[in-house]
Amino acid sequence: MAAIALGSALYVAASGNLVRSVFMFFITLFALAGLYVLSLADFVAVTQVVVYVGGILVLILFAFMLSGRENLEGLKQQKNRLLSVSKLPAVLLAAAFFVVLTNIFLKAKADDISWIKQAITEQNVMTPQNTSINSLGVNLMTNYLLPFEAISVLLLMALVGAAHLSRKEESAT
């Protein structure tokens, strides 16, 4: 599943064909849902399929279908260089985001959080058999917080992409 997710995500990023990129994004989202199922995060997997595959990807497909042929031809005719001056802000933003994520990852000490230590010493730990709303909230804010936030970043990126694709450009007449 991880190989499928990474391979299809790389294809989405590197492909020049917009139609194939949209369909490979579909495969990427399903592979991520499969990874969540394999890591026993069933709620996050169902959320992935319902919200992202069911909602956002359909929105992107409709935006693609509604976009004019002229816009799509313009996308095909753009030069496909890896680094250029027009891509410099995106590269700088990606590098800054990578530095921030690396910094957070290196400084975060999940085993040293006081309220988790207190819960372990008091044996106030939820067992996997608990299926109440309470345990769902606790799991979302502890065990599955990072995947949930990663999915929310993907949602934001999908919304920005869909808004960009569905935008009508003014004609200069």
Side-chain angles (χ1 to χ4, degrees):
M1 283 294 178
I4 291 171
L6 282 174
S8 59
L10 287 173
Y11 186 85
V12 167
S15 175
N17 190 337
L18 191 59
V19 178
R20 289 183 182 159
S21 292
V22 168
F23 285 111
M24 289 305 283
F25 186 55
F26 182 72
I27 292 171
T28 303
L29 292 177
F30 263 121
L32 285 175
L35 284 172
Y36 292 136
V37 168
L38 291 175
S39 54
L40 302 176
D42 299 333
F43 178 76
V44 179
V46 169
T47 304
Q48 170 84 10
V49 171
V50 170
V51 174
Y52 298 103
V53 176
I56 301 305
L57 198 61
V58 170
L59 178 67
I60 291 173
L61 285 172
F62 276 114
F64 173 71
M65 288 188 296
L66 292 174
S67 61
R69 191 157 187 72
E70 305 85 30
N71 293 341
L72 297 177
E73 291 299 324
L75 286 174
K76 284 185 180 178
Q77 292 174 358
Q78 289 180 352
K79 292 183 180 177
N80 195 10
R81 293 186 306 186
L82 184 59
L83 290 176
S84 66
V85 176
S86 64
K87 294 181 183 178
L88 184 64
V91 171
L92 291 176
L93 186 63
F97 187 65
F98 180 72
V99 167
V100 168
L101 282 179
T102 304
N103 191 20
I104 290 172
F105 180 73
L106 293 176
K107 289 185 178 181
K109 294 183 173 99
D111 296 332
D112 200 26
I113 300 173
S114 62
W115 61 273
I116 291 179
K117 283 183 175 180
Q118 180 183 1
I120 291 173
T121 56
E122 295 175 1
Q123 294 186 356
N124 187 13
V125 181
M126 303 197 81
T127 60
Q129 289 81 21
N130 293 342
T131 57
S132 67
I133 299 296
N134 219 359
S135 68
L136 180 63
V138 168
N139 278 326
L140 279 179
M141 296 311 290
T142 55
N143 296 336
Y144 304 119
L145 183 63
L146 181 63
F148 207 64
E149 289 299 319
I151 290 173
S152 69
V153 171
L154 285 174
L155 172 63
L156 179 64
M157 291 169 37
L159 284 172
V160 169
H164 179 71
L165 283 176
S166 64
R167 186 183 66 174
K168 301 273 188 212
E169 293 192 22
E170 297 179 18
S171 60
T173 56

PDB file of all heavy atoms in Angstrom, residues 53-75:
ATOM      1  N   VAL A  53     -12.071  11.160  -1.046  1.00  0.00           N
ATOM      2  CA  VAL A  53     -12.338  10.490  -2.317  1.00  0.00           C
ATOM      3  C   VAL A  53     -13.738  10.831  -2.800  1.00  0.00           C
ATOM      4  O   VAL A  53     -13.946  11.162  -3.964  1.00  0.00           O
ATOM      5  CB  VAL A  53     -12.152   8.961  -2.185  1.00  0.00           C
ATOM      6  CG1 VAL A  53     -12.509   8.260  -3.468  1.00  0.00           C
ATOM      7  CG2 VAL A  53     -10.718   8.637  -1.798  1.00  0.00           C
ATOM      8  N   GLY A  54     -14.696  10.805  -1.896  1.00  0.00           N
ATOM      9  CA  GLY A  54     -16.075  11.040  -2.298  1.00  0.00           C
ATOM     10  C   GLY A  54     -16.408  12.482  -2.580  1.00  0.00           C
ATOM     11  O   GLY A  54     -17.208  12.777  -3.455  1.00  0.00           O
ATOM     12  N   GLY A  55     -15.805  13.406  -1.867  1.00  0.00           N
ATOM     13  CA  GLY A  55     -16.167  14.805  -2.021  1.00  0.00           C
ATOM     14  C   GLY A  55     -15.173  15.619  -2.815  1.00  0.00           C
ATOM     15  O   GLY A  55     -15.493  16.192  -3.858  1.00  0.00           O
ATOM     16  N   ILE A  56     -13.962  15.670  -2.341  1.00  0.00           N
ATOM     17  CA  ILE A  56     -12.967  16.556  -2.931  1.00  0.00           C
ATOM     18  C   ILE A  56     -12.571  16.101  -4.327  1.00  0.00           C
ATOM     19  O   ILE A  56     -12.466  16.916  -5.250  1.00  0.00           O
ATOM     20  CB  ILE A  56     -11.730  16.646  -2.015  1.00  0.00           C
ATOM     21  CG1 ILE A  56     -12.120  17.169  -0.647  1.00  0.00           C
ATOM     22  CG2 ILE A  56     -10.650  17.498  -2.652  1.00  0.00           C
ATOM     23  CD1 ILE A  56     -12.845  18.496  -0.699  1.00  0.00           C
ATOM     24  N   LEU A  57     -12.360  14.834  -4.510  1.00  0.00           N
ATOM     25  CA  LEU A  57     -11.941  14.365  -5.827  1.00  0.00           C
ATOM     26  C   LEU A  57     -13.044  14.552  -6.857  1.00  0.00           C
ATOM     27  O   LEU A  57     -12.777  14.900  -8.012  1.00  0.00           O
ATOM     28  CB  LEU A  57     -11.505  12.904  -5.767  1.00  0.00           C
ATOM     29  CG  LEU A  57     -10.664  12.459  -6.944  1.00  0.00           C
ATOM     30  CD1 LEU A  57      -9.386  13.275  -7.020  1.00  0.00           C
ATOM     31  CD2 LEU A  57     -10.332  11.020  -6.847  1.00  0.00           C
ATOM     32  N   VAL A  58     -14.275  14.355  -6.455  1.00  0.00           N
ATOM     33  CA  VAL A  58     -15.390  14.614  -7.376  1.00  0.00           C
ATOM     34  C   VAL A  58     -15.441  16.100  -7.724  1.00  0.00           C
ATOM     35  O   VAL A  58     -15.682  16.472  -8.881  1.00  0.00           O
ATOM     36  CB  VAL A  58     -16.714  14.120  -6.756  1.00  0.00           C
ATOM     37  CG1 VAL A  58     -17.903  14.594  -7.556  1.00  0.00           C
ATOM     38  CG2 VAL A  58     -16.713  12.602  -6.657  1.00  0.00           C
ATOM     39  N   LEU A  59     -15.171  16.965  -6.742  1.00  0.00           N
ATOM     40  CA  LEU A  59     -15.113  18.396  -7.005  1.00  0.00           C
ATOM     41  C   LEU A  59     -14.009  18.727  -8.014  1.00  0.00           C
ATOM     42  O   LEU A  59     -14.217  19.511  -8.946  1.00  0.00           O
ATOM     43  CB  LEU A  59     -14.876  19.149  -5.694  1.00  0.00           C
ATOM     44  CG  LEU A  59     -14.738  20.664  -5.788  1.00  0.00           C
ATOM     45  CD1 LEU A  59     -16.061  21.281  -6.213  1.00  0.00           C
ATOM     46  CD2 LEU A  59     -14.279  21.220  -4.469  1.00  0.00           C
ATOM     47  N   ILE A  60     -12.855  18.111  -7.865  1.00  0.00           N
ATOM     48  CA  ILE A  60     -11.760  18.337  -8.810  1.00  0.00           C
ATOM     49  C   ILE A  60     -12.145  17.840 -10.198  1.00  0.00           C
ATOM     50  O   ILE A  60     -11.869  18.504 -11.211  1.00  0.00           O
ATOM     51  CB  ILE A  60     -10.468  17.658  -8.316  1.00  0.00           C
ATOM     52  CG1 ILE A  60      -9.944  18.387  -7.086  1.00  0.00           C
ATOM     53  CG2 ILE A  60      -9.399  17.648  -9.393  1.00  0.00           C
ATOM     54  CD1 ILE A  60      -8.773  17.707  -6.429  1.00  0.00           C
ATOM     55  N   LEU A  61     -12.778  16.679 -10.279  1.00  0.00           N
ATOM     56  CA  LEU A  61     -13.191  16.156 -11.585  1.00  0.00           C
ATOM     57  C   LEU A  61     -14.203  17.077 -12.263  1.00  0.00           C
ATOM     58  O   LEU A  61     -14.108  17.327 -13.468  1.00  0.00           O
ATOM     59  CB  LEU A  61     -13.773  14.749 -11.432  1.00  0.00           C
ATOM     60  CG  LEU A  61     -12.752  13.638 -11.199  1.00  0.00           C
ATOM     61  CD1 LEU A  61     -13.462  12.341 -10.868  1.00  0.00           C
ATOM     62  CD2 LEU A  61     -11.866  13.466 -12.395  1.00  0.00           C
ATOM     63  N   PHE A  62     -15.166  17.594 -11.497  1.00  0.00           N
ATOM     64  CA  PHE A  62     -16.124  18.521 -12.091  1.00  0.00           C
ATOM     65  C   PHE A  62     -15.452  19.815 -12.532  1.00  0.00           C
ATOM     66  O   PHE A  62     -15.770  20.356 -13.583  1.00  0.00           O
ATOM     67  CB  PHE A  62     -17.266  18.827 -11.116  1.00  0.00           C
ATOM     68  CG  PHE A  62     -18.349  17.804 -11.149  1.00  0.00           C
ATOM     69  CD1 PHE A  62     -18.595  17.000 -10.063  1.00  0.00           C
ATOM     70  CD2 PHE A  62     -19.131  17.647 -12.286  1.00  0.00           C
ATOM     71  CE1 PHE A  62     -19.595  16.042 -10.093  1.00  0.00           C
ATOM     72  CE2 PHE A  62     -20.136  16.696 -12.328  1.00  0.00           C
ATOM     73  CZ  PHE A  62     -20.360  15.896 -11.227  1.00  0.00           C
ATOM     74  N   ALA A  63     -14.513  20.312 -11.730  1.00  0.00           N
ATOM     75  CA  ALA A  63     -13.793  21.527 -12.124  1.00  0.00           C
ATOM     76  C   ALA A  63     -12.993  21.276 -13.393  1.00  0.00           C
ATOM     77  O   ALA A  63     -12.938  22.135 -14.284  1.00  0.00           O
ATOM     78  CB  ALA A  63     -12.867  21.965 -10.996  1.00  0.00           C
ATOM     79  N   PHE A  64     -12.412  20.100 -13.498  1.00  0.00           N
ATOM     80  CA  PHE A  64     -11.661  19.751 -14.707  1.00  0.00           C
ATOM     81  C   PHE A  64     -12.588  19.673 -15.913  1.00  0.00           C
ATOM     82  O   PHE A  64     -12.277  20.172 -16.992  1.00  0.00           O
ATOM     83  CB  PHE A  64     -10.941  18.419 -14.495  1.00  0.00           C
ATOM     84  CG  PHE A  64     -10.275  17.905 -15.722  1.00  0.00           C
ATOM     85  CD1 PHE A  64      -9.145  18.514 -16.218  1.00  0.00           C
ATOM     86  CD2 PHE A  64     -10.803  16.814 -16.400  1.00  0.00           C
ATOM     87  CE1 PHE A  64      -8.531  18.046 -17.361  1.00  0.00           C
ATOM     88  CE2 PHE A  64     -10.196  16.349 -17.541  1.00  0.00           C
ATOM     89  CZ  PHE A  64      -9.059  16.961 -18.025  1.00  0.00           C
ATOM     90  N   MET A  65     -13.751  19.054 -15.728  1.00  0.00           N
ATOM     91  CA  MET A  65     -14.686  18.921 -16.851  1.00  0.00           C
ATOM     92  C   MET A  65     -15.276  20.263 -17.253  1.00  0.00           C
ATOM     93  O   MET A  65     -15.596  20.481 -18.421  1.00  0.00           O
ATOM     94  CB  MET A  65     -15.810  17.942 -16.481  1.00  0.00           C
ATOM     95  CG  MET A  65     -15.352  16.508 -16.433  1.00  0.00           C
ATOM     96  SD  MET A  65     -16.698  15.328 -16.233  1.00  0.00           S
ATOM     97  CE  MET A  65     -17.324  15.754 -14.640  1.00  0.00           C
ATOM     98  N   LEU A  66     -15.447  21.183 -16.295  1.00  0.00           N
ATOM     99  CA  LEU A  66     -16.030  22.482 -16.606  1.00  0.00           C
ATOM    100  C   LEU A  66     -15.013  23.490 -17.146  1.00  0.00           C
ATOM    101  O   LEU A  66     -15.402  24.526 -17.667  1.00  0.00           O
ATOM    102  CB  LEU A  66     -16.702  23.065 -15.364  1.00  0.00           C
ATOM    103  CG  LEU A  66     -17.937  22.321 -14.887  1.00  0.00           C
ATOM    104  CD1 LEU A  66     -18.419  22.907 -13.569  1.00  0.00           C
ATOM    105  CD2 LEU A  66     -19.041  22.373 -15.925  1.00  0.00           C
ATOM    106  N   SER A  67     -13.728  23.193 -16.987  1.00  0.00           N
ATOM    107  CA  SER A  67     -12.726  24.145 -17.473  1.00  0.00           C
ATOM    108  C   SER A  67     -12.703  24.125 -18.996  1.00  0.00           C
ATOM    109  O   SER A  67     -12.934  23.100 -19.637  1.00  0.00           O
ATOM    110  CB  SER A  67     -11.347  23.810 -16.904  1.00  0.00           C
ATOM    111  OG  SER A  67     -10.954  22.538 -17.320  1.00  0.00           O
ATOM    112  N   GLY A  68     -12.422  25.270 -19.537  1.00  0.00           N
ATOM    113  CA  GLY A  68     -12.432  25.405 -20.995  1.00  0.00           C
ATOM    114  C   GLY A  68     -11.268  24.701 -21.650  1.00  0.00           C
ATOM    115  O   GLY A  68     -10.221  24.460 -21.043  1.00  0.00           O
ATOM    116  N   ARG A  69     -11.439  24.368 -22.898  1.00  0.00           N
ATOM    117  CA  ARG A  69     -10.393  23.687 -23.659  1.00  0.00           C
ATOM    118  C   ARG A  69      -9.151  24.570 -23.803  1.00  0.00           C
ATOM    119  O   ARG A  69      -8.035  24.077 -23.853  1.00  0.00           O
ATOM    120  CB  ARG A  69     -10.941  23.294 -25.028  1.00  0.00           C
ATOM    121  CG  ARG A  69     -10.076  22.361 -25.810  1.00  0.00           C
ATOM    122  CD  ARG A  69     -10.960  21.629 -26.829  1.00  0.00           C
ATOM    123  NE  ARG A  69     -10.306  20.595 -27.551  1.00  0.00           N
ATOM    124  CZ  ARG A  69      -9.932  19.420 -27.084  1.00  0.00           C
ATOM    125  NH1 ARG A  69     -10.103  19.160 -25.815  1.00  0.00           N
ATOM    126  NH2 ARG A  69      -9.386  18.516 -27.850  1.00  0.00           N
ATOM    127  N   GLU A  70      -9.359  25.898 -23.867  1.00  0.00           N
ATOM    128  CA  GLU A  70      -8.232  26.809 -24.008  1.00  0.00           C
ATOM    129  C   GLU A  70      -7.312  26.741 -22.790  1.00  0.00           C
ATOM    130  O   GLU A  70      -6.084  26.770 -22.925  1.00  0.00           O
ATOM    131  CB  GLU A  70      -8.714  28.258 -24.186  1.00  0.00           C
ATOM    132  CG  GLU A  70      -9.689  28.467 -25.327  1.00  0.00           C
ATOM    133  CD  GLU A  70     -11.132  28.169 -24.924  1.00  0.00           C
ATOM    134  OE1 GLU A  70     -11.494  28.346 -23.743  1.00  0.00           O
ATOM    135  OE2 GLU A  70     -11.884  27.716 -25.799  1.00  0.00           O
ATOM    136  N   ASN A  71      -7.909  26.655 -21.598  1.00  0.00           N
ATOM    137  CA  ASN A  71      -7.103  26.565 -20.379  1.00  0.00           C
ATOM    138  C   ASN A  71      -6.271  25.291 -20.362  1.00  0.00           C
ATOM    139  O   ASN A  71      -5.112  25.297 -19.954  1.00  0.00           O
ATOM    140  CB  ASN A  71      -7.997  26.597 -19.142  1.00  0.00           C
ATOM    141  CG  ASN A  71      -8.685  27.923 -18.963  1.00  0.00           C
ATOM    142  OD1 ASN A  71      -8.263  28.929 -19.538  1.00  0.00           O
ATOM    143  ND2 ASN A  71      -9.739  27.936 -18.181  1.00  0.00           N
ATOM    144  N   LEU A  72      -6.869  24.187 -20.792  1.00  0.00           N
ATOM    145  CA  LEU A  72      -6.153  22.914 -20.791  1.00  0.00           C
ATOM    146  C   LEU A  72      -5.033  22.906 -21.824  1.00  0.00           C
ATOM    147  O   LEU A  72      -3.967  22.348 -21.594  1.00  0.00           O
ATOM    148  CB  LEU A  72      -7.133  21.763 -21.037  1.00  0.00           C
ATOM    149  CG  LEU A  72      -8.201  21.586 -19.963  1.00  0.00           C
ATOM    150  CD1 LEU A  72      -9.155  20.474 -20.341  1.00  0.00           C
ATOM    151  CD2 LEU A  72      -7.576  21.333 -18.623  1.00  0.00           C
ATOM    152  N   GLU A  73      -5.278  23.524 -22.966  1.00  0.00           N
ATOM    153  CA  GLU A  73      -4.224  23.607 -23.981  1.00  0.00           C
ATOM    154  C   GLU A  73      -3.082  24.476 -23.487  1.00  0.00           C
ATOM    155  O   GLU A  73      -1.917  24.191 -23.759  1.00  0.00           O
ATOM    156  CB  GLU A  73      -4.792  24.162 -25.293  1.00  0.00           C
ATOM    157  CG  GLU A  73      -5.743  23.214 -26.005  1.00  0.00           C
ATOM    158  CD  GLU A  73      -5.085  21.896 -26.399  1.00  0.00           C
ATOM    159  OE1 GLU A  73      -3.892  21.902 -26.759  1.00  0.00           O
ATOM    160  OE2 GLU A  73      -5.762  20.868 -26.312  1.00  0.00           O
ATOM    161  N   GLY A  74      -3.418  25.549 -22.757  1.00  0.00           N
ATOM    162  CA  GLY A  74      -2.380  26.409 -22.193  1.00  0.00           C
ATOM    163  C   GLY A  74      -1.519  25.677 -21.185  1.00  0.00           C
ATOM    164  O   GLY A  74      -0.318  25.903 -21.105  1.00  0.00           O
ATOM    165  N   LEU A  75      -2.129  24.774 -20.417  1.00  0.00           N
ATOM    166  CA  LEU A  75      -1.362  23.979 -19.461  1.00  0.00           C
ATOM    167  C   LEU A  75      -0.406  23.032 -20.163  1.00  0.00           C
ATOM    168  O   LEU A  75       0.706  22.794 -19.694  1.00  0.00           O
ATOM    169  CB  LEU A  75      -2.305  23.182 -18.559  1.00  0.00           C
ATOM    170  CG  LEU A  75      -3.056  23.955 -17.491  1.00  0.00           C
ATOM    171  CD1 LEU A  75      -4.047  23.041 -16.790  1.00  0.00           C
ATOM    172  CD2 LEU A  75      -2.090  24.554 -16.497  1.00  0.00           C
TER     173      LEU A  75
END
